[in-house]
Amino acid sequence: MLSPLLALKEVSVHFGTANRPVTAVENVSFSLSEGERLVLVGPSGCGKSTLLATVGGFLRPSAGHVLLDGVPVRRPGPDRMMVFQEFDQLLPWKSVAANIAYPLRLAGVTREVASARAEALIHQVGLTGFGDAFPHMLSGGMKMRVAIARALAAPPRLLLMDEPFAALDALTRRRMQEELLRLWHEHVFTLLFVTHSIEEAVLLGSRILVLSPHPGRVQAVLEVPEDRAARAALQADLHRLLLPEPADV
Amino acid sequence: MFDGARPQPPAGPLAAEAAWKPTLRRAGVLLVLGLAWEGYGRWIDNDLVFPTLSATLAAFWRLTISGELPARALASLEVLALGYGAGLALATLLVLLAVASRFGSELLATLTAMFNPLPAIALLPLALLWFGLGTPSLVFVITHSVLWAVALNAHAGVQAIPPTLRRVGENLGLRGWRLTLRILLPAALPAVIAGLKIGWAFAWRTLIAAELVFGTTSRSGGLGWFIFERRNNLQIDEVFAGLLAVIAIGLVVEGVVFRTIEARTIRRWGLQR
């Protein structure tokens, strides 16, 4: 078996002062191989976003190791592109096309090649004709499309997504989920996705890691089956796991 | 294909009409003020106290044609440019220090708290002692008037940058100078421009006032000195013409220079409505 693309080894993250330490994540280990879609799911306070920020290099683990291709992660970098939940993650002073081309330009790609690639991505995320628009002219869903296109522009080793669809309306969210899967089939990237929605986790993940809160610990790791009925069963299992009372829907 | 595009800003005849109306209103206000001025001037009928608008405009035209007023304005603007430039350079240095370190941040906060409320003109006697009568003294007080307003605003702007935007820059592999230049500076631009505008207004006022108080600070003299001179000669219509020039330059810089910069940057980017 190949060595994993990403490996977390007994990672703990503490916040707060020496007097009142807060443990956000405790002793979490998992690994992720190429082309996988791992979804971290759990209630708020389970440290899933903290874990993602640690993989992104924005936070240092208090204990344990985060290894990307066997090398410890020290700082943020374009090999782990992050899509944030906030709509203000686009650079307001750059057009849609320039935002998407920016990672390529920073990587030393020529202007022509970068804009050709940006144009192709604009088309793929369904924003044809909006290349010259500035971010403030776009709706929330459109901004998210641009952010995803930008994250894929210079193909990262790992795509990190921190509840990217949580602030969208239900219809847009649904459509974005399907389009993310379509993009995955086209680009086959490796995805680490954080959500608190069980439905989203089952829909998007090839594997689901359930975290328990206070502090965040691995509660369960579940493979997502292809079969529709088996997925529905998994969803019901997850509901039982995460909600103490049976959900009366 | 795209979802719920936000309505684009209104364009076409409706927007044109909306932009046209305030201009008309402004023109109406100016007309009323002008008529009041002319009427009052004619009523008291004393050129030594209050010349009419027409006399002021005539003097303004005469002095512009003769080249005296433009030369004086240029002299003022040259001194201003020196002081403004020096103030900007120092402000940039202080803000970069403040962004880079806690100590720099504290230094900037302390210095601005001390010196921002101190009117620049109050430093003029000291400046004259240090630098003598002449341009250096004027440049010194203008630098002081610009520095704190610009530094204070720019630093506040950097602190108000959304953390997500900073993380996006770091995610793209930017750090240190590159992060500051490519992410932090453009993100803080609305506040920076606001600071530049305030700094400009302070500097222009300070300069004219300094020239008025210590007029003979340079050989040719600027607009402030011109106004002082003409008052001594009791050429009051020319005093009014000088004041008109001060106002006109202020309006042009504010309404044309800064407005153009804003339209091309922060308003285009939706950072300012």
Side-chain angles (χ1 to χ4, degrees), chain A residues 199 235 239 243 245-249:
Chain A
E199 289 71 24
Q235 195 162 314
H239 268 292
L243 304 168
E245 308 278 310
D248 46 349
V249 178

Side-chain angles (χ1 to χ4, degrees), chain A residues 58 75-78 80-82 84 86 88-90 92-93 102-103 106 134 136 139 141-142 145 150 179, chain B residues 1-6 8 162 164-165 167-168 170-175 178 182-183 186-187 268-271:
Chain A
F58 299 107
R75 58 172 73 105
R80 283 148 290 137
M81 284 299 282
M82 174 96 103
F84 299 88
E86 291 82 6
D88 61 9
Q89 62 186 301
L90 302 177
W93 54 91
Y102 197 41
L106 286 176
F134 280 90
H136 72 102
S139 69
M142 292 162 88
R145 286 158 197 266
R150 178 176 66 184
E179 295 206 6
Chain B
M1 176 77 220
F2 56 91
D3 39 75
R6 230 176 255 172
Q8 298 288 321
T164 310
L165 217 50
R167 280 194 167 190
V168 165
E170 290 169 352
N171 195 186
L172 290 167
L174 298 173
R175 282 184 297 142
R178 296 201 327 144
R182 294 179 186 216
I183 305 290
R268 183 157 179 247
W269 306 336
L271 294 176

Side-chain angles (χ1 to χ4, degrees), chain A:
Chain A
M1 189 185 150
L2 288 164
S3 74
L5 188 146
L6 175 76
L8 271 73
K9 292 185 176 161
E10 292 165 4
V11 169
S12 298
V13 183
H14 309 292
F15 289 129
T17 56
N19 295 338
R20 298 191 60 191
V22 179
T23 305
V25 173
E26 194 173 71
N27 207 11
V28 169
S29 302
F30 65 84
S31 62
L32 189 56
S33 22
E34 210 141 333
E36 246 192 312
R37 302 184 310 271
L38 179 64
V39 179
L40 304 180
V41 69
S44 59
C46 72
K48 51 194 192 299
S49 289
T50 305
L51 214 46
L52 199 71
T54 311
V55 173
F58 299 107
L59 293 174
R60 285 284 187 92
S62 313
H65 303 280
V66 178
L67 303 171
L68 185 77
D69 291 317
V71 181
V73 162
R74 293 190 190 286
R75 58 172 73 105
D79 53 352
R80 283 148 290 137
M81 284 299 282
M82 174 96 103
V83 175
F84 299 88
Q85 182 183 344
E86 291 82 6
F87 292 144
D88 61 9
Q89 62 186 301
L90 302 177
L91 307 179
W93 54 91
K94 286 184 182 293
S95 67
V96 166
N99 258 290
I100 297 173
Y102 197 41
L104 291 164
R105 297 286 297 139
L106 286 176
V109 174
T110 62
R111 194 177 293 274
E112 292 75 35
V113 176
S115 35
R117 171 109 178 125
E119 205 49 54
L121 275 161
I122 288 171
H123 184 68
Q124 280 176 28
V125 296
L127 289 176
T128 311
F130 283 88
D132 293 329
F134 280 90
H136 72 102
M137 304 167 174
L138 306 180
S139 69
M142 292 162 88
K143 284 180 188 167
M144 199 47 78
R145 286 158 197 266
V146 178
I148 293 171
R150 178 176 66 184
L152 293 175
R157 288 294 286 150
L158 183 58
L159 181 63
L160 307 173
M161 300 183 98
D162 188 6
E163 304 198 36
F165 309 144
L168 299 174
D169 62 272
L171 280 174
T172 310
R173 186 186 315 143
R174 184 72 212 194
R175 198 181 301 162
M176 295 294 296
Q177 290 164 346
E178 279 159 16
E179 295 206 6
L180 183 65
L181 281 177
R182 188 178 50 74
L183 280 170
W184 182 83
H185 281 288
E186 281 171 30
H187 295 257
V188 194
F189 42 81
T190 312
L191 177 66
L192 186 57
F193 191 104
V194 160
T195 182
H196 59 255
S197 156
I198 292 167
E199 289 71 24
E200 191 166 68
V202 174
L203 185 72
L204 292 179
S206 57
R207 200 149 54 103
I208 295 173
L209 194 132
V210 184
L211 291 165
S212 66
H214 311 298
R217 289 201 190 96
V218 177
Q219 197 176 359
V221 184
L222 305 154
E223 294 286 334
V224 179
E226 288 292 325
D227 175 57
R228 233 164 222 269
R231 278 180 178 229
L234 173 67
Q235 195 162 314
D237 284 348
L238 280 167
H239 268 292
R240 232 165 290 130
L241 202 60
L242 286 166
L243 304 168
E245 308 278 310
D248 46 349
V249 178

Side-chain angles (χ1 to χ4, degrees), chain B residues 89-109:
Chain B
L90 286 172
T92 308
L93 207 70
L94 273 177
V95 172
L96 285 179
L97 255 172
V99 171
S101 73
R102 286 262 170 94
F103 177 79
S105 182
E106 195 55 49
L107 179 74
L108 178 65

